[in-house]
């Protein structure tokens, strides 16, 4: 009875918080997808990134104008900037943009595959004032490189060593996107991350979007999901490091909510999280489909779009249909993560709650 009451109070508080955030929609997190170019071609890439440059990408001068405009319209110290790609370090002028973000007062970081970071580049990155670096590494080297390219894991290790050698003292984390095969190697992967001395490790299953949408064998099913969550739950309860954290994607039920990540399920795309794509289109999370684009930075001011649009994100009643319509967990889930909808009002691509058989 006491536990049931505790859960009720926790979810009630969470619901009130989300309602308030939908009304007030303070911008707290902003993705800048500065390029779609990537020197890898991962088998499951959700963005279909490739080595070739796309002619529509904004030049560095435009990105600098954009962040200066953002600094005029928002309090820079209250907005975390996440620079993504593709591989952001392939963007000519990326470090110039980093330095400008620091000069303007934005806390910022990047998500990188790490393959380009050697000591000289690491020093230049650190000199920009970057505060957070997330490195993609999915599994022990042999399994990782099968899906991400030969030598990838070794290059991530080199990147970590290079950053440490030049005195990087900011947040450093490993992000693992798990294929079906990788789930079976979680114990070995934890030991590998421990040898790298990276304390922060975030885990998420491959999403059924992008390239993985055409190869369902890459996408973990219910059995792998259960194994993944059980592993994370146990690992967060022991005394060893790293203590993994499950990524954000939908409601997990009472057994895992609040246990496998330090927050309850939430998708804040368009609520506190915005995004600007490589070609200047304004959206939210870069993993969302083009159907959720809200405007264009080349012709509109981000602040105006943020204030006047995004209704599809802030009123998600449209998700209460199909299997969600009669679901007893809907008020906690609110339709799940929006990257799993090909377009508004479409059927969602997967539901962890149903997969877990809650």
């Amino acid at each position: 009875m006491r536990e049931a009451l505790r859960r009720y109070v926790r979810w009630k508080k969470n619901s009130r918080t989300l309602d308030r955030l939908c009304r007030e929609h303070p911008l707290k997190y902003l993705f800048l997808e500065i390029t779609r170019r990537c020197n890898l071609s991962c088998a499951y890439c959700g963005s279909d990134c490739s080595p070739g440059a796309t002619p529509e990408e904004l030049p560095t001068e435009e990105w600098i104008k954009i962040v200066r405009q953002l600094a005029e319209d928002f309090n820079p110290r209250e907005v975390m900037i996440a620079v993504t790609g593709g591989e952001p370090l392939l963007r000519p002028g990326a470090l110039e943009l980093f330095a400008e973000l620091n000069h303007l007062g934005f806390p910022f970081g990047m998500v990188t595959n790490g393959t380009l970071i050697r000591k000289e580049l690491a020093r230049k990155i650190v000199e920009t004032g970057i505060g957070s670096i997330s490195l993609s590494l999915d599994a022990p080297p042999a399994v990782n490189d099968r899906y991400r390219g030969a030598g990838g894991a070794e290059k991530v290790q080199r990147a970590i060593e290079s950053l440490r050698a030049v005195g990087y003292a900011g947040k450093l984390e490993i992000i693992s996107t798990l294929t079906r095969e990788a789930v079976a190697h979680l114990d070995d992967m934890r030991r590998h991350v421990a040898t790298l001395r990276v304390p922060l490790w975030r885990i998420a299953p491959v999403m059924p979007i992008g390239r993985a949408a055409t190869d369902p064998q890459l996408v973990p099913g219910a059995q792998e999901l259960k194994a993944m969550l059980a592993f994370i739950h146990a690992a967060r309860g022991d005394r060893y490091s790293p203590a993994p954290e499950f990524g954000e994607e939908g409601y997990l039920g009472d057994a895992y909510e609040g246990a496998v990540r330090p927050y309850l399920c939430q998708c804040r795309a368009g609520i506190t999280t915005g995004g600007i794509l490589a070609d200047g289109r304004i959206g939210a999370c870069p993993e969302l489909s083009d159907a959720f684009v809200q405007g264009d930075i080349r012709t509109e001011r981000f602040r105006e779009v943020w204030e006047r649009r995004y209704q599809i994100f802030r009123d998600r009643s449209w998700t209460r249909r199909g299997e969600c319509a009669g679901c007893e967990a809907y008020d906690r889930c609110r339709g799940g993560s929006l990257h799993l909808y090909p377009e508004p009002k479409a059927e969602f691509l997967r539901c962890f709650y149903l997969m877990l058989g809650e």
Side-chain angles (χ1 to χ4, degrees):
M1 177 66 75
R2 182 175 298 178
E3 177 61 22
L5 179 60
R6 188 183 68 83
R7 285 198 301 266
Y8 172 81
V9 171
R10 181 176 62 174
W11 282 107
K12 199 69 175 175
K13 181 179 178 181
N14 187 64
S15 180
R16 285 197 298 265
T17 298
L18 288 176
D19 288 341
R20 176 181 58 80
L21 291 174
C22 286
R23 289 192 306 271
E24 299 174 0
H25 49 267
L27 182 65
K28 295 295 183 183
Y29 203 90
L30 182 65
F31 288 99
L32 301 183
E33 182 197 64
I34 62 174
T35 185
R36 295 294 293 273
R37 290 183 62 200
C38 188
N39 55 326
L40 301 182
S41 186
C42 301
Y44 52 79
C45 180
S47 301
D48 285 325
C49 295
S50 63
T54 56
E56 311 86 39
E57 290 188 356
L58 299 177
T60 302
E61 313 85 73
E62 286 298 313
W63 281 112
I64 289 177
K65 288 180 183 178
I66 288 166
V67 297
R68 287 174 178 169
Q69 181 191 105
L70 290 166
E72 293 173 5
D73 291 345
F74 299 91
N75 182 345
R77 301 195 182 281
E78 295 180 356
V79 182
M80 174 67 190
I81 303 289
V83 182
T84 70
E87 171 48 53
L89 294 174
L90 286 174
R91 165 87 252 176
L95 299 189
E96 183 183 351
L97 175 62
F98 290 178
E100 185 65 16
L101 287 168
N102 187 50
H103 171 72
L104 293 168
F106 287 103
F108 72 97
M110 71 168 166
V111 180
T112 173
N113 61 39
T115 60
L116 302 176
I117 301 177
R118 300 191 182 191
K119 194 170 182 180
E120 182 179 353
L121 179 56
R123 179 177 291 106
K124 292 178 180 178
I125 292 170
V126 171
E127 288 172 352
T128 68
I130 194 167
S132 174
I133 299 175
S134 299
L135 295 154
S136 299
L137 183 67
D138 300 335
V143 178
N144 178 84
D145 294 1
R146 189 174 303 136
Y147 297 98
R148 298 180 63 86
E154 181 180 357
K155 290 173 183 176
V156 170
Q157 180 172 344
R158 182 188 66 195
I160 293 168
E161 292 168 350
S162 297
L163 288 164
R164 287 205 177 100
V166 299
Y168 176 67
K171 177 182 176 182
L172 187 65
E173 73 171 345
I174 296 291
I175 297 179
S176 297
T177 305
L178 301 189
T179 59
R180 281 180 183 260
E181 181 182 5
V183 174
H185 297 273
L186 279 168
D187 285 318
D188 290 339
M189 181 58 179
R190 191 184 191 195
R191 285 189 286 270
H192 183 61
V193 177
T195 65
L196 298 175
R197 295 184 292 118
V198 177
L200 302 175
W201 180 27
R202 185 151 37 110
I203 295 173
V206 166
M207 294 178 289
I209 61 175
R211 292 185 192 131
T214 64
D215 189 353
Q217 290 303 310
L218 293 173
V219 182
Q223 181 177 344
E224 291 84 13
L225 174 64
K226 292 174 182 178
M228 191 185 313
L229 292 173
F231 168 83
I232 296 171
H233 193 190
R236 289 179 68 82
D238 63 29
R239 60 187 177 87
Y240 300 106
S241 180
E245 176 182 319
F246 191 66
E248 166 46 42
E249 187 185 314
Y251 180 62
L252 302 173
D254 289 337
Y256 294 114
E257 280 296 338
V260 296
R261 52 195 175 202
Y263 52 84
L264 299 176
C265 74
Q266 57 183 321
C267 173
R268 297 192 178 183
I271 300 173
T272 61
T273 300
I276 302 174
L277 302 178
D279 59 4
R281 289 175 300 154
I282 297 171
C285 170
E287 293 169 343
L288 296 176
S289 78
D290 291 348
F292 288 93
V293 166
Q294 300 295 300
D296 195 318
I297 199 68
R298 293 166 293 189
T299 58
E300 303 173 276
R301 204 170 182 94
F302 180 86
R303 179 74 188 232
E304 295 176 358
V305 176
W306 180 253
E307 292 297 340
R308 298 178 182 178
R309 298 181 206 159
Y310 287 89
Q311 287 81 8
I312 199 75
F313 299 91
R314 296 164 190 168
D315 178 2
R316 301 191 184 183
S317 56
W318 58 269
T319 63
R320 195 161 199 162
R321 55 194 299 274
E323 290 182 284
C324 289
C327 181
E328 57 85 24
Y330 181 84
D331 289 338
R332 284 161 277 171
C333 177
R334 301 195 180 202
S337 296
L338 295 190
H339 61 255
L340 293 174
Y341 291 85
E343 59 185 30
K345 301 184 181 180
E347 296 296 325
F348 57 75
L349 297 177
R350 72 177 171 198
C351 172
F352 286 162
Y353 184 62
L354 294 179
M355 291 171 68
L356 292 168
E358 290 286 338

